[in-house]
Amino acid sequence: MKTYAGALVTDLDGTLADKSKIISSDVKAELEHLGSKGVLRVVATGRSLHGFRKIISSDFPIDYVAFSSGAGIFDWRKQKLEKHAHLEEEAVKGVVQRLLEHNLDFMVHAPIPDNHYFYYRHGGAPNTDFHQRVAIYQEYVKPWPDQQKYGAASQLLVVEPPTENSCYTSLSRLLSPLTVIRATSPLDFASRWIEIFPEGVSKASAAAWIVTRHNISVSRVMAVGNDYNDFDLLTWAAVPYLVGDGAEVLKKELPNVKLNCAKDFLSALRAVPDFFKDPRPK
């Protein structure tokens, strides 16, 4: 198996790509350069594999994508699904009942690799971001039927308007030990998305599986992110960077990131120019 000088794990939206979903030629060139230096390149994103492919071409210079916040791991070079997780039918039923009790707006996603298909349920109150997401995926979605036959799911997603108090903390407690992740909507950059996954799913756990597979020590891992769903990744990596327009509260919640805040993705890499210096024997 190929040996690596280290690993770079980066978020996609708002980090590798800007808010217009554009990845600059300079960023692409830097990823190509890192690959030539023996750095394993991993994108850890909340997007599904289907959503990832919308803006990333098959020849993009990365090695892996941990998609759906780590629920799936895909070898980008081989174009092969390596690992995925899902919620069993009874777990899905239990979560849905909790969400209905709280009259929340939610979506239930099909198992990987078809998790861009989902059912949606709207509670009735105004929720522009929720409806925008339904419209974007209109060819893949159906409304939640009154008599739903439950099945397995990759995840459930709750969308909260920014004007409401968040139910993130209470849901995390009610749904334990399932993984509950908060994120800022990549659509309006204000609404809150609360994602519910099987126990143990996270960007950090997916990244750990990948680097372990390639015998890379966590001491040789740099991570770059910008939002709440990067929290576990940034606390896990040896060298974490939060990009300059990242969530301000994370600078307080992540002591090890306070001094490692970068203007953008490229400035994060350039802050430690010798980190990926190849330690392997010549």
Side-chain angles (χ1 to χ4, degrees):
M1 181 179 287
K2 179 179 178 180
T3 57
Y4 289 91
L8 167 72
V9 187
T10 176
D11 173 50
L12 177 63
D13 292 288
T15 304
L16 197 65
D18 62 23
K19 289 185 176 181
S20 299
K21 321 302 181 190
I22 295 172
I23 300 176
S24 72
S25 57
D26 287 344
V27 166
K28 185 175 180 180
E30 185 65 28
L31 290 172
E32 290 171 341
H33 176 62
L34 288 172
S36 71
K37 292 175 64 177
V39 177
L40 186 74
R41 302 151 300 178
V42 180
V43 174
T45 177
R47 285 176 177 254
S48 67
L49 189 58
H50 173 84
F52 187 76
R53 290 188 186 280
K54 282 187 173 182
I55 67 169
I56 302 294
S57 62
S58 59
D59 62 348
F60 192 73
I62 57 172
D63 301 291
Y64 286 89
V65 54
F67 62 93
S68 298
S69 297
I73 298 174
F74 192 81
D75 186 320
W76 198 249
R77 305 290 289 278
K78 296 178 180 178
Q79 290 293 295
K80 178 184 177 184
L81 181 64
E82 296 288 356
K83 191 173 184 288
H84 63 93
H86 66 270
L87 291 160
E88 299 289 352
E89 179 178 344
E90 280 305 306
V92 174
K93 185 175 181 179
V95 173
V96 168
Q97 288 174 345
R98 291 291 191 182
L99 302 184
L100 288 173
E101 288 169 6
H102 290 78
N103 196 34
L104 297 171
D105 298 336
F106 64 87
M107 301 161 183
V108 182
H109 286 255
I112 292 170
D114 298 318
N115 56 326
H116 51 292
Y117 288 89
F118 61 84
Y119 286 101
Y120 64 91
R121 188 266 182 186
H122 179 232
N127 195 337
T128 303
D129 192 74
F130 177 89
H131 293 298
Q132 184 180 356
R133 189 168 192 264
V134 170
I136 290 171
Y137 287 91
Q138 58 183 321
E139 61 185 299
Y140 305 109
V141 306
K142 293 180 180 179
W144 182 262
D146 291 335
Q147 299 298 322
Q148 173 65 29
K149 181 179 179 181
Y150 291 91
S154 59
Q155 72 176 97
L156 290 88
L157 170 66
V158 174
V159 180
E160 294 183 321
T163 54
E164 294 182 4
N165 292 327
S166 180
C167 65
Y168 167 73
T169 300
S170 60
L171 279 182
S172 297
R173 183 179 63 255
L174 286 171
L175 301 179
S176 179
L178 299 181
T179 296
V180 181
I181 300 172
R182 58 177 170 169
T184 303
S185 167
L187 302 180
D188 68 4
F189 310 108
S191 296
R192 293 177 297 270
W193 288 12
I194 300 174
E195 301 176 286
I196 302 156
F197 290 100
E199 180 181 3
V201 166
S202 70
K203 290 185 177 184
S205 62
W209 185 90
I210 293 168
V211 301
T212 299
R213 187 184 202 198
H214 292 279
N215 299 313
I216 301 170
S217 167
V218 69
S219 66
R220 300 296 306 158
V221 178
M222 175 191 288
V224 188
N226 78 315
D227 198 27
Y228 300 104
N229 61 349
D230 299 313
F231 181 92
D232 62 291
L233 180 64
L234 294 172
T235 55
W236 166 78
V239 178
Y241 276 88
L242 184 72
V243 295
D245 62 350
E248 285 296 321
V249 70
L250 291 184
K251 297 174 184 178
K252 300 176 182 178
E253 293 185 12
L254 296 166
N256 58 328
V257 174
K258 269 189 177 181
L259 300 178
N260 288 347
C261 294
K263 179 181 178 182
D264 53 28
F265 175 78
L266 289 176
S267 65
L269 295 183
R270 291 165 184 166
V272 281
D274 295 328
F275 182 73
F276 288 125
K277 185 176 181 180
D278 195 342
R280 298 170 297 175
K282 300 298 182 184

